[in-house]
Amino acid sequence: MGSLNSEHITIVPFEEKYSKAFKKLNQWWIELYFKMEEADYKLLDNPKSYILDTGGYIAIALQNNKPVGVCALIKMQNTGYDYELSKMGVSPEAHGKGIGHILGTTIIKKAKELGAKNLFLETHHSLIPAIRLYEKLGFKKIEGVATPYERSDVQMALTF
């Protein structure tokens, strides 16, 4: 929540009216670099049932009341990790404004509020800007958690 490059960015919790933006902001980057997978459709088409109703959270970044970024916090089961930072997407026109960092910081703060001791995420080695962002947020590379994604070849964790 702050002013970046003279443009006001506000972070708000997910509401049903942001469903299309949540899917669109993720689908564009996934299809740009990879392909949509079954796990993507499950989460992006049903954020309420697969993320919110299971104890998760979704942050929406608004610029002039328009969704320009999204990030989810997904409750994990039987992995040794409390939550997953997932489905972070920022619109191309909003890149370079620090929105990903604001979203990541918001999700980390929310995870702590929910009692999490750690966070997990997965990505792909070709997404260098994303990996740099995660490292700035304190995530370290790990191995060994089963993944539903073909594209995932980098796993990271953050312990509080």
Side-chain angles (χ1 to χ4, degrees), residues 21-39:
F22 180 63
K23 182 173 182 176
K24 182 180 174 187
L25 288 168
N26 275 288
Q27 190 167 357
W28 85 261
W29 76 260
I30 294 169
E31 290 179 343
L32 179 65
Y33 298 106
F34 310 104
K35 68 177 176 43
M36 289 282 287
E37 298 180 41
E38 182 181 334

Side-chain angles (χ1 to χ4, degrees), residues 121 128-141 156:
L121 67 80
I128 303 298
I131 292 171
R132 284 192 191 124
L133 168 64
Y134 301 140
E135 288 172 340
K136 282 182 191 172
L137 291 169
F139 284 85
K140 307 275 186 236
K141 290 184 181 174
M156 302 178 83

Side-chain angles (χ1 to χ4, degrees), residues 12-23 43-49 52-53 58 60 67:
V12 298
F14 180 87
E15 294 178 44
E16 194 60 40
K17 66 182 178 182
Y18 300 125
S19 291
K20 286 182 183 168
F22 180 63
K23 182 173 182 176
L43 293 172
L44 297 176
D45 288 338
N46 306 288
K48 185 176 179 321
S49 57
L52 302 176
D53 291 350
I58 301 172
I60 309 292

